[in-house]
Amino acid sequence: MCLRGCGCDRSGVGQGVLGLRAALLKRIAAHVGTPTYVYSADLIRNEVRQLQGALARIPHSIFYSMKANSNLSLLGLLRGLGVGVDIVSGGELERALAAGFAPDDIVFSGVGKSPRELERAVEVGVGLINLESAGELQSLRGVTEAMARKANVGVRVNPDVTIATHPYTQTGAEGMKFGIPVDEVLDIARDIATSPYLHLASIGMHLGSQIAAAHAYAEGARKLGSLIAELRGSGVDTLRSVDVGGGMAIPYGDRPGLPMREFVEAVAPVAVETGLTLLLEPGRLLVGNAGALITRVLYCKRSGGRTFAVVDAGMNDFMRPSYYQAEHPISVIGADDAAPDSLEPVDVVGPICETGDYLGLARRLPGLKPGALLAVHAAGAYGFSMSSTYNSRPRAAEVLVDGERVGLIRARETIEDLWNREEAEPQWLPSI
Ligand code: LLP
């Protein structure tokens, strides 16, 4: 029976929140306030080691996709575990450098890198720049020529593989904005070869996110394998790696995770058969289940036959429920895990003036009353990193628990932070 109030048939709360004692989470909430994201260093280490272990037989490099969670302390932790980083913007590039990543350990992905961002990437010597269009190739060509600097490039292919996930997290199907269509890759490779500054080092894909079925990876990897053969047949002999992207699903609520063994069986052949190094860009897998959002119940009320718990975290803090209808387990911290079946379902909603502002609907939660502390599970990825200040709400604090130590890794934003780049009187621009 589900004890997390998510309506699934899994038991979960027995393992608590991130394997941490309720008393500790209560102390964190009392000290740092709520809402607060709490992460477990041990759980992140476990995830990385499991992935590294599963890939042990295959030459590989893991590049953590930092859009999932780009807190500098987490980046430092991951760097220490021998992981590189996958970035998609100039801001993420500077974060990666600030966190101490060597440029060589950075892969620059993303569908629209600006000339300025490409310039900076070439200047610092990023290890690999994954191109997503002919236009972007021209942009990078211009940048490298102007700087007389070389760059390793990859081609992100759109392999036309459809995955069963939320439509907003599919990226690898035909007709989507991502990647270069298979039938254009050869021309792009020829074009790259004409530049003395560009070196085609990698071919890759990224199929989407929260992918639980390994066969999608197998299908994409097979297509990459054929392309690699075709490229080699036409004289391209510079490839060093094949990049299968990220997207590995984590289990949460009634959502299944991607079985690691099946994943490795799906992607290993393309690396083994081509003799290329396997690159991976996992985001959620490494941090998703290592984080929880801690929020406090402000009020309980009834309306139109429904019961609501109004909490102090909203869709601005955690937008996955309202944006993707994601059903993250919610539990009451320190409440008796006694069977909640007898309890009436409660909508856990935020304070924001939007009907879509909720963290969970129709949850059966024991011990729910004003002042109760709730944990929203599996919130380590795409939680804080997608948060905003909508409704002029300062963004949440972030805390890392490492063994017995508890560290603040991002202070709660202040009210002044909300407008510190605004002008109460317009700064008129006379030259425009
Ligand atoms: N590589 C590339 C090029 C990506 O665009 C992404 C994610 C990843 C790797 C990492 O994917 P992951 O392993 O985390 O699934 N905000 C959504 C997820 C969007 C992912 C965007 N790209 C969510 O909350 O589900």
Side-chain angles (χ1 to χ4, degrees), residues 209-262:
S209 201
Q210 190 58 20
I211 305 167
H215 63 77
Y217 286 99
E219 188 185 340
R222 265 196 307 276
K223 292 189 179 179
L224 291 182
S226 314
L227 257 178
I228 291 164
E230 209 180 322
L231 286 167
R232 285 178 166 166
S234 74
V236 175
D237 60 359
T238 51
L239 292 175
R240 293 202 304 246
S241 58
V242 54
D243 183 348
V244 293
M248 304 74 153
I250 59 165
Y252 69 91
D254 60 0
R255 305 284 305 264
L258 174 66
M260 199 35 65
R261 182 130 57 96
E262 290 176 25

Side-chain angles (χ1 to χ4, degrees), residues 264-431:
V264 173
E265 280 167 13
V267 297
V270 68
V272 172
E273 286 158 20
T274 58
L276 299 175
T277 300
L278 186 70
L279 306 190
L280 300 98
E281 304 168 0
R284 189 189 327 260
L285 180 71
L286 303 187
V287 296
N289 270 329
L293 173 61
I294 310 301
T295 178
R296 202 178 282 283
V297 178
L298 297 171
Y299 306 107
C300 294
K301 65 189 255 186
R302 285 185 62 82
S303 180
R306 295 187 79 86
T307 302
F308 297 92
V310 183
V311 300
D312 65 4
M315 63 189 287
N316 72 299
D317 299 298
F318 191 50
M319 76 183 290
R320 299 201 77 256
S322 48
Y323 194 50
Y324 308 111
Q325 296 74 53
E327 295 184 2
H328 286 255
I330 298 176
S331 60
V332 182
I333 294 171
D336 192 350
D337 282 353
D341 280 5
S342 55
L343 301 169
E344 63 177 320
V346 176
D347 291 350
V348 179
V349 298
I352 287 182
C353 305
E354 298 268 355
T355 305
D357 175 32
Y358 67 89
L359 299 178
L361 300 177
R363 306 301 178 92
R364 293 178 194 275
L365 294 164
L368 203 61
K369 50 182 183 293
L373 269 189
L374 305 185
V376 181
H377 296 240
Y382 307 110
F384 186 90
S385 67
M386 290 180 77
S387 66
S388 76
T389 59
Y390 183 43
N391 275 209
S392 282
R393 291 167 48 80
R395 281 179 294 178
E398 293 178 288
V399 163
L400 180 69
V401 179
D402 192 354
E404 294 301 307
R405 295 179 304 170
V406 177
L408 183 66
I409 58 171
R410 184 176 165 110
R412 187 177 308 287
E413 272 179 358
T414 66
I415 296 289
E416 294 71 33
D417 288 337
L418 295 173
W419 61 74
N420 69 5
R421 300 193 63 79
E422 292 177 25
E423 305 292 346
E425 289 296 328
Q427 294 292 303
W428 305 114
L429 303 171
S431 56

Side-chain angles (χ1 to χ4, degrees), residues 13-35:
V13 164
Q15 293 140 29
V17 180
L18 307 175
L20 303 174
R21 280 170 290 116
L24 176 67
L25 291 164
K26 286 183 178 178
R27 284 206 303 278
I28 292 173
H31 193 84
V32 182
T34 50

